[in-house]
Amino acid sequence: SFRPVWSGYGRGFAFKRDFEDAFQERVNNKLASNELQDKPVILHGQAGTGKSVALGRLAYTIRKEGKYPVLYIERRSKQPLLSDLEAFCKWVEDSGASATLIVWDGMLEQEQYYEFTKRLAGRGRKVVLVGSCYAIAKLSGQYRKNKNFVEAPATLDQKPPGKDKQNEISRFTSFISRFDKSLANRSREWI
């Protein structure tokens, strides 16, 4: 199971994928909304695409901003109790928080996240639940209609870089070179 090393995010040890900016913006918009959120944000993709790292970075970043309390649930075989999540959210709301972010790297079926979110909203909890699951088929009507799904692509972006931005492959090679120049050169060959 993946357990984030929180200090590594602050020190820049985790490579940031392109999808993460839109992902964090979507979560921030839900947190800032005055409406109860009855749908989770689900980060999906194949194994090894950076979902767990992105979820850890999201939790770290939101917590560091200090505006919203964050509850991070790592992957494990036993699910948390809804009553525990509800009690935590109620406690932070009673303490003055406008919303709570729950980041759950459970790799569960999407329906399970929906059920937890609906039940928390039904109890009046102002919570944004973010979960992870394996890739959702793009051909499904549910995927096309649902703006709460964010995909972690299986391959690094190879588009030509824009005016002010490198593509993911170039950024990854630069990122690796910070730690080992010879590994960066080899990664260019492998990619």
Side-chain angles (χ1 to χ4, degrees), residues 82-94:
L82 179 66
S83 59
D84 291 343
L85 296 179
E86 201 267 336
F88 177 81
C89 293
K90 182 176 181 341
W91 173 73
V92 297
E93 288 169 20
D94 290 347

Side-chain angles (χ1 to χ4, degrees), residues 54-67:
L55 290 171
R57 184 188 329 275
L58 173 72
Y60 175 84
T61 302
I62 298 294
R63 174 59 189 103
K64 187 175 176 189
E65 290 170 356
K67 190 172 180 181

Side-chain angles (χ1 to χ4, degrees), residues 8-187:
Y9 290 104
R11 297 173 67 194
F13 291 155
F15 179 70
K16 186 175 183 182
R17 298 282 314 270
D18 284 350
F19 70 84
E20 291 185 57
D21 288 333
F23 174 53
Q24 180 152 353
E25 183 179 344
R26 190 164 299 163
V27 172
N28 282 333
N29 289 340
K30 284 180 161 277
L31 284 167
S33 172
N34 290 326
E35 299 176 19
L36 289 177
Q37 302 296 319
D38 64 350
K39 293 184 177 85
V41 176
I42 298 177
L43 181 60
H44 69 99
Q46 295 177 14
T49 58
K51 295 181 301 297
S52 293
V53 172
L55 290 171
R57 184 188 329 275
L58 173 72
Y60 175 84
T61 302
I62 298 294
R63 174 59 189 103
K64 187 175 176 189
E65 290 170 356
K67 190 172 180 181
Y68 303 101
V70 178
L71 179 62
Y72 181 87
I73 306 168
E74 64 188 48
R75 194 174 319 158
R76 62 179 100 177
S77 58
K78 187 176 178 183
Q79 290 188 13
L81 297 174
L82 179 66
S83 59
D84 291 343
L85 296 179
E86 201 267 336
F88 177 81
C89 293
K90 182 176 181 341
W91 173 73
V92 297
E93 288 169 20
D94 290 347
S95 300
S98 60
T100 302
L101 174 63
I102 298 176
V103 179
W104 187 357
D105 190 12
M107 292 303 290
L108 305 173
E109 295 296 322
Q110 57 189 320
E111 292 80 16
Q112 292 176 279
Y113 295 119
Y114 272 87
E115 182 179 329
F116 266 83
T117 307
K118 283 182 187 278
R119 291 179 67 191
L120 287 168
R123 293 177 184 205
R125 302 287 64 93
K126 296 174 185 167
V127 63
V128 174
L129 191 143
V130 178
S132 61
C133 72
Y134 289 110
I136 298 170
K138 288 184 180 182
L139 299 176
S140 76
Q142 185 178 15
Y143 175 84
R144 286 193 307 265
K145 293 177 187 174
N146 196 326
K147 292 182 169 74
N148 293 317
F149 293 149
V150 176
E151 181 181 12
T155 58
L156 296 176
D157 179 23
Q158 299 181 41
K159 293 185 287 198
K163 289 180 186 176
D164 300 326
K165 190 175 179 189
Q166 294 179 311
N167 65 27
E168 270 187 315
I169 291 176
S170 299
R171 286 189 313 100
F172 182 72
T173 304
S174 297
F175 175 79
I176 293 295
S177 70
R178 291 178 29 211
F179 306 104
D180 186 333
K181 298 243 186 248
S182 64
L183 185 57
N185 292 334
R186 282 189 159 152
S187 71

